[in-house]
Amino acid sequence: MTESEGPSYIDYDTFLDPEFSPTAFANSLVIATNNPSDTPIDLSTPLSKVLFDIQEIDTHIHTLTTQSAIPLLTHTKDQAEAGQRLVTEVEAQVANLTDGYQRLEKDVIDRYEEADQVRIAVQRLWETVRIGRAVARCLTLGRQLETQMAEVTAGGVPSPAKREDHRAMVRASNTILTLRQLLSASGSNEEGQYLSKIDLITYLQNSVLTPSETSLRNRAQQIIREFSMSSLASSATAPTTYDQSEETKSRTTSALLTLQLLNPRLLVAALQTYLRASLTSSLASVGRALNSLPILDRTLLEVSARCQNIVALEKLLNNTKPPHSPRSGLNDQAEERSGTLLEPLLAALDTSSLPSFFWRSLAEGLGPRVADLMTKGGVVARALRSQKERVKDSVRECVLRGSQSPGDTTRKAGAWEREAAVMVASVMGPVGR
C-alpha cells in the first residue's frame, strides 16, 4: 500500500506474518470484545469486525485494479506477445532438431542397425570357419595317427620287407597328445570349444584316438615286459649280435618314451611290474633249486641273467631324458627334461640302485624259505648243510656276475660285495643254525 492511497487501519503485517494462525487471531478478537465473566459470549461484534476488514480489503483491491487496469492489461499483452515470439522461436528450433534427428537416424542409426546385422553374420561365419579349421585339424591329426599306427604294426601284414617301426610309437604318442590337447581346449574362445558337440569328432575319438592309445600302451608295456639283454641264459628274446642288441635298446627306448608321453605313471608302473616279475620268478626258481641242488648252478645263472637285464635297463633309463611333451608349458618342460627316466622309478622304489633293490628284495624273500626248508629237515636240509660252502660260493658268484652289464667281463674290486654278503647271509644264515 503506497503513501498516496492514505493510511489504513488494517494491520497488514499481522496477516502477512509467516507464523499467522487464523484460530489464534479469532481467539484474540473474541477475548478483546468480551469479558471473561460474560455468560453468554458475544460473537457478533468480532464477526462484524472481520467482515468489515474483509470488505475494506476488497474495496482496496477493487480500487487498485481499477486504477491500474490499463498498465496491467498492457503488461499482460506484452507478456503474451513475448511468450508467443518465444514459442515461435522454440518451435523453429524444435523443427530443426527434429530434422537433424531424422537425418541422424537415417545416416547413423539405420546404418548402425544394418552394420550390426552384418557384424553378427560375420561373427557367426568366423565361428563356423574356426570350428571348420579345428575339425579339419582333428581329422588331419586322426589321419596322421592312423598312418603312424600302421607303421607301428607294419601295416598288420607280416612281411620281410615290412618291418615294425618302433620309432613311430613315439610319433603316434605325440600325435595323440596333440589331439587330446586340442579336444581339451573347450573353454570360451578356445580352439576346441564346440568340438565335443560334433558327431564326427566323437566318432574320431571312439574309433581312432582311444583304440590307438590303448594299442600303443599295450605294445609299449609288452616291449618292456620282454626286455632282455643278457646272453648268460638261453632266451627267445635275448639278442645274439651287436645289431640285435642295439635294436633291442632302441625299441625299448621307444617304448619308454611312449609310456612317458602317454602317462608317466604308466611308465613307472610298467617298470615296477617288470622288476616284480623278475623277483617273483627268481624267488620261485631259487626256492626250487635249493630243494634240488643239482639244478642250482643253472638256476643261479638264470637269476644272474635277470639281474643283468635290470642293470642294462637301469643304464638305459639313466641315459634317456624325458621327451618334449606338447601338453607341458615352458617351465614344466625345462623341469621335466632336467632329469632322466630313472629318477622317478628310484624315487618310487625308495632305492639308489635297481640291482641293489633286486638283490636285497630277493634276499628278503629267500630267508624265510630257506628257514622253512631247514625246519622241515630231511634230505634237503642235510644236503644244504653238507654243501654249504659250494652253495655259498655259487650265491656269491651269482650276485657278482649278475651285477655286471651284459657282455662286460671285467669286475671292479669291492663292487657289489655288500649285496653279495646280504644274499649269502639270507641263504646260509638258516643253514648254519
Side-chain angles (χ1 to χ4, degrees):
M1 186 175 188
T2 63
E3 294 179 358
S4 61
E5 295 171 349
S8 176
Y9 70 91
I10 298 176
D11 187 5
Y12 286 101
D13 292 337
T14 300
F15 296 108
L16 296 176
D17 190 350
E19 297 181 357
F20 174 77
S21 172
T23 56
F25 179 72
N27 187 52
S28 66
L29 285 178
V30 172
I31 294 174
T33 57
N34 289 275
N35 291 323
S37 60
D38 290 344
T39 304
I41 297 176
D42 182 16
L43 297 177
S44 59
T45 301
L47 180 60
S48 298
K49 178 174 175 34
V50 172
L51 292 176
F52 185 79
D53 290 347
I54 292 174
Q55 185 178 1
E56 177 66 18
I57 293 172
D58 180 67
T59 301
H60 185 64
I61 292 173
H62 180 72
T63 301
L64 287 176
T65 55
T66 300
Q67 293 175 354
S68 306
I70 294 176
L72 286 174
L73 292 174
T74 302
H75 178 72
T76 303
K77 180 183 177 182
D78 293 342
Q79 291 294 322
E81 291 176 350
Q84 185 62 39
R85 289 193 300 271
L86 182 62
V87 169
T88 302
E89 291 295 329
V90 170
E91 287 179 348
Q93 296 296 327
V94 170
N96 289 335
L97 287 174
T98 303
D99 293 340
Y101 177 77
Q102 290 175 351
R103 289 194 302 272
L104 182 66
E105 183 178 17
K106 181 180 179 180
D107 296 341
V108 177
I109 297 179
D110 293 344
R111 292 183 181 180
Y112 169 77
E113 292 177 352
E114 294 176 0
D116 191 56
Q117 295 296 324
V118 173
R119 179 190 63 82
I120 294 173
V122 171
Q123 183 177 2
R124 291 175 178 174
L125 285 174
W126 163 243
E127 290 178 354
T128 304
V129 170
R130 190 177 64 175
I131 294 173
R133 288 178 177 175
V135 171
R137 187 182 175 200
C138 284
L139 294 178
T140 302
L141 290 172
R143 180 56 182 164
Q144 178 179 319
L145 180 59
E146 286 182 330
T147 303
Q148 291 166 343
M149 291 304 298
E151 294 173 357
V152 170
T153 59
V157 180
S159 170
K162 299 180 70 174
R163 298 179 57 190
E164 173 185 320
D165 185 6
H166 56 80
R167 294 177 182 84
M169 295 171 60
V170 181
R171 297 194 295 270
S173 299
N174 279 299
T175 303
I176 288 175
L177 288 184
T178 304
L179 260 173
R180 291 290 188 197
Q181 186 179 27
L182 178 58
L183 293 173
S184 63
S186 57
S188 178
N189 295 324
E190 290 187 328
E191 189 175 6
Q193 182 176 1
Y194 301 105
L195 291 179
S196 60
K197 300 179 181 179
I198 299 175
D199 294 339
L200 184 59
I201 300 302
T202 303
Y203 175 78
L204 176 68
Q205 287 181 278
N206 296 334
S207 63
V208 178
L209 182 57
T210 301
S212 297
E213 185 174 359
T214 302
S215 177
L216 279 178
R217 182 173 63 248
N218 294 338
R219 179 58 182 150
Q221 290 172 340
Q222 179 186 358
I223 291 175
I224 293 176
R225 284 196 306 269
E226 296 175 354
F227 176 75
S228 178
M229 292 289 294
S230 177
S231 58
L232 292 178
S234 57
S235 173
T237 59
T240 57
T241 64
Y242 175 79
D243 291 340
Q244 290 178 343
S245 298
E246 293 302 312
E247 177 65 19
T248 299
K249 291 180 183 179
S250 180
R251 183 171 62 252
T252 306
T253 300
S254 297
L256 295 173
L257 294 177
T258 297
L259 289 179
Q260 176 70 15
L261 284 169
L262 294 179
N263 190 339
R265 293 190 181 92
L266 288 178
L267 174 60
V268 174
L271 294 172
Q272 288 178 319
T273 300
Y274 178 82
L275 292 174
R276 282 196 299 269
S278 298
L279 279 170
T280 301
S281 57
S282 297
L283 187 59
S285 60
V286 172
R288 289 192 300 270
L290 291 176
N291 274 290
S292 180
L293 291 182
I295 63 172
L296 180 63
D297 290 338
R298 179 167 56 86
T299 300
L300 292 178
L301 188 64
E302 293 174 355
V303 173
S304 295
R306 293 190 186 100
C307 189
Q308 282 193 357
N309 292 332
I310 292 174
V311 172
L313 180 61
E314 181 182 53
K315 185 176 181 181
L316 191 62
L317 289 170
N318 195 44
N319 293 333
T320 306
K321 292 185 177 296
H324 168 76
S325 175
R327 63 189 170 195
S328 302
L330 295 177
N331 295 333
D332 294 338
Q333 292 172 12
E335 182 179 352
E336 179 182 336
R337 294 174 62 85
S338 61
T340 65
L341 296 184
L342 178 62
E343 294 174 4
L345 179 60
L346 294 179
L349 297 175
D350 192 21
T351 185
S352 60
S353 169
L354 295 186
S356 177
F357 172 81
F358 174 80
W359 292 122
R360 291 178 182 275
S361 299
L362 184 59
E364 184 179 354
L366 276 178
R369 292 201 175 199
V370 178
D372 185 56
L373 289 177
M374 300 307 296
T375 301
K376 292 179 180 179
V379 178
V380 174
R382 290 194 297 271
L384 286 174
R385 287 193 180 94
S386 62
Q387 302 186 43
K388 62 180 181 179
E389 291 299 326
R390 169 178 168 262
V391 173
K392 175 181 176 181
D393 293 340
S394 298
V395 170
R396 184 175 182 279
E397 179 63 21
C398 170
V399 174
L400 298 179
R401 182 176 55 232
S403 301
Q404 294 177 296
S405 297
D408 186 8
T409 58
T410 60
R411 294 184 182 178
K412 296 180 181 179
W416 307 107
E417 289 292 343
R418 184 173 299 177
E419 283 70 18
V422 171
M423 276 291 293
V424 169
S426 67
V427 176
M428 304 311 299
V431 174
R433 296 193 187 111

